Amino acid sequence: MIKILSPKSIPAPSGSYVHGMEVPANARLLFIAGQTPGRMDGTIPTTFEEQIDVVWQRIGAILAESGMGYTDLVKVQTFVTKPEYLPKTSVARKRVLGEHRPTATLLCITSLAVPEYMVEIEAIAAKI
């Protein structure tokens, strides 16, 4: 069983995440490379909402390919290119993950590898 760590000696998380998750030795681990908003046909959505939906769909496809689902995520690292995307990131994350709260890092950076990209998400999943 994955153990959630929320020490009382530090402030509670400020968002929909937990401070730590301990993965037991017998768990399978899946490392998901940073997923970007490029579609199969090579197009890139023009709005942040569409881009983050594509990114989460891609993560879901990788999880499914490994026999896992969103609730198996133990770490999510999100990169956005503008501060105004931060609240929209939380909305999309809650829509996809529901009540599941993996560990998380959310960074606002100046740009991603492709100038049209507004968001990139990498993740780690574990399944016992």
Side-chain angles (χ1 to χ4, degrees):
M1 174 172 241
I2 294 173
K3 182 179 175 183
I4 294 173
L5 305 170
S6 295
K8 301 290 185 207
S9 59
I10 61 175
S14 61
S16 57
Y17 65 93
V18 297
H19 285 304
M21 295 182 103
E22 184 178 320
V23 177
N26 62 340
R28 287 189 305 120
L29 295 176
L30 172 62
F31 295 85
I32 301 173
Q35 294 302 301
T36 57
R39 295 182 177 126
M40 283 293 291
D41 64 4
T43 62
I44 300 168
T46 57
T47 69
F48 181 82
E49 292 82 0
E50 291 174 305
Q51 286 199 12
I52 200 162
D53 285 347
V54 169
V55 169
W56 277 114
Q57 289 166 9
R58 289 173 59 150
I59 290 169
I62 295 164
L63 288 163
E65 184 80 11
S66 186
M68 296 186 188
Y70 292 116
T71 58
D72 295 308
L73 290 171
V74 295
K75 172 72 175 171
V76 175
Q77 188 163 358
T78 305
F79 304 88
V80 297
T81 57
K82 292 185 180 176
E84 57 264 31
Y85 299 151
L86 297 174
K88 295 176 181 183
T89 300
S90 296
V91 169
R93 178 188 161 99
K94 287 178 185 174
R95 185 176 61 249
V96 172
L97 300 183
E99 293 301 311
H100 180 61
R101 287 174 162 58
T103 63
T105 301
L106 175 56
L107 301 167
C108 187
I109 60 174
T110 57
S111 67
L112 290 161
V114 173
E116 294 82 17
Y117 292 169
M118 299 174 212
V119 60
E120 183 169 338
I121 300 175
E122 65 180 24
I124 300 171
K127 190 166 187 87
I128 300 172

